Amino acid sequence: LPDSRPIGVFDSGVGGLTVARAILDLLPNESILYVGDSSHFPYGPKPLDEIRGYALEIARALIERDVKMIVVACNSVEVAAIEDVTRAAGVPVIGVIDPAVRAAVHATRRGDIGMIGTQATVNSGAYERALARTGADATLASKACPSFVEYVERGDTMSDELRAEAERYLADLSGVDTLILGCTHYPLLAGLIQMVVGPDVMLVSSAEETAKDVYAALVEGDVQRHDHGPPSHKFLSTGDPEQFRGLAEVFLGPEISRVEAARLGD
Ligand code: DGL
């Protein structure tokens, strides 16, 4: 049946906009309701219990606002809470890890896959488990790059300081032929990361692959939006809406108009 309800997408900040962008590209007729939990950013260094608490609060807020599907556009949330979010939601929930691993398995030439992400994601071993589930003959080396997300949230994707940081982090992953950007903020640093690792390493980001899963879930569930009017997108930030809007304009593009301040859980 036609379903004009929005697709809910959330992250700790602007990183999940990389996934929202890919969904808008593949599904231009769908409305998106995005929540950036900027007041609790960053999630990556926090204990899993704390991340789970924030994630459940946002999931409940999305359900109250009547979304038809939830996209967990944050690896740190996925490792901490995807089962809980799925149980609480009552609508389909889509994550970013399996799509990224699937793409990496197809891309790798020698089976030497690398993954970079937050501390929460790297420590969880979730990517290793996802790779094992594919049954592919490949190994995974991972490295936490905690400061990357801070640069992205400041809108810095180009400074010398950031580049020096990237060189330090990525030195440990020489030898991989494919590198998974295991944090939804990192595609915004793909230019820098590619330059540092060199042209022979294939970068894999989950955004496009996740958007394909969203597409398939809409078609299989027969819940596409069929209205002829333009979709309406809504962006909520639990932090400073103006700051969020400025960055979102750069990273997401013209679909962003106003950002509303969200106080979840009250
Ligand atoms: N974008 C996030 C992720 O995919 C989290 C960034 C953060 O809040 O630490 O892990």
Side-chain angles (χ1 to χ4, degrees):
L1 287 183
D3 190 337
S4 53
R5 292 178 297 166
I7 298 170
V9 181
F10 76 97
D11 177 44
S12 59
V14 295
L17 293 173
T18 58
V19 181
R21 175 72 264 158
I23 294 171
L24 289 169
D25 289 341
L26 295 195
L27 293 158
N29 199 39
E30 294 295 330
S31 300
I32 286 184
L33 170 56
Y34 185 94
V35 178
D37 192 12
S38 318
S39 69
H40 297 125
F41 170 88
Y43 283 178
K46 296 195 164 84
L48 296 186
D49 275 350
E50 189 177 341
I51 303 174
R52 192 175 302 128
Y54 299 142
L56 282 170
E57 199 164 289
I58 297 171
R60 280 194 281 270
L62 287 170
I63 293 301
E64 263 166 40
R65 287 167 175 79
D66 204 20
V67 297
K68 62 181 165 188
M69 181 176 293
I70 292 180
V71 181
V72 172
C74 175
N75 291 268
S76 307
V77 169
E78 183 164 346
V79 303
I82 194 139
E83 289 87 5
D84 306 78
V85 168
T86 304
R87 252 194 309 278
V91 296
V93 174
I94 290 181
V96 290
I97 294 179
D98 286 309
V101 168
R102 186 174 68 210
V105 163
H106 288 124
T108 186
R109 301 184 297 279
R110 296 188 306 268
D112 296 322
I113 300 173
M115 188 276 284
I116 52 177
T118 66
Q119 280 139 317
T121 301
V122 168
N123 293 345
S124 73
Y127 273 85
E128 286 81 353
R129 289 192 293 279
L131 179 62
R133 280 197 296 275
T134 68
D137 182 20
T139 59
L140 189 101
S142 59
K143 171 86 183 165
C145 304
S147 73
F148 276 177
V149 293
E150 313 268 357
Y151 284 93
V152 171
E153 290 282 327
R154 284 200 295 270
D156 177 358
T157 60
M158 299 215 75
S159 68
D160 292 343
E161 189 193 335
L162 168 62
R163 178 141 137 224
E165 197 90 320
E167 278 161 2
R168 235 186 343 268
Y169 284 143
L170 296 166
D172 284 357
L173 292 177
S174 60
V176 305
D177 64 58
T178 300
L179 180 61
I180 299 174
L181 307 180
C183 171
T184 53
H185 281 67
Y186 296 176
L188 300 165
L189 300 176
L192 168 75
I193 294 169
Q194 189 76 69
M195 200 172 89
V196 171
V197 297
D200 293 336
V201 177
M202 177 78 182
L203 298 190
V204 170
S205 94
S206 45
E208 288 80 15
E209 290 304 309
T210 302
K212 291 177 196 164
D213 281 12
V214 173
Y215 186 105
L218 286 180
V219 172
E220 280 156 17
D222 195 19
V223 287
Q224 301 102 300
R225 177 177 174 274
H226 287 306
D227 312 16
H228 291 301
S232 88
H233 308 302
K234 200 164 185 161
F235 297 86
L236 307 178
S237 168
T238 61
D240 176 2
E242 267 319 292
Q243 192 186 341
F244 187 93
R245 198 190 58 81
L247 277 177
E249 214 164 44
V250 177
F251 291 143
L252 182 91
E255 285 86 352
I256 186 106
S257 46
R258 218 160 65 85
V259 175
E260 292 172 32
R263 297 190 47 195
L264 309 176
D266 320 337

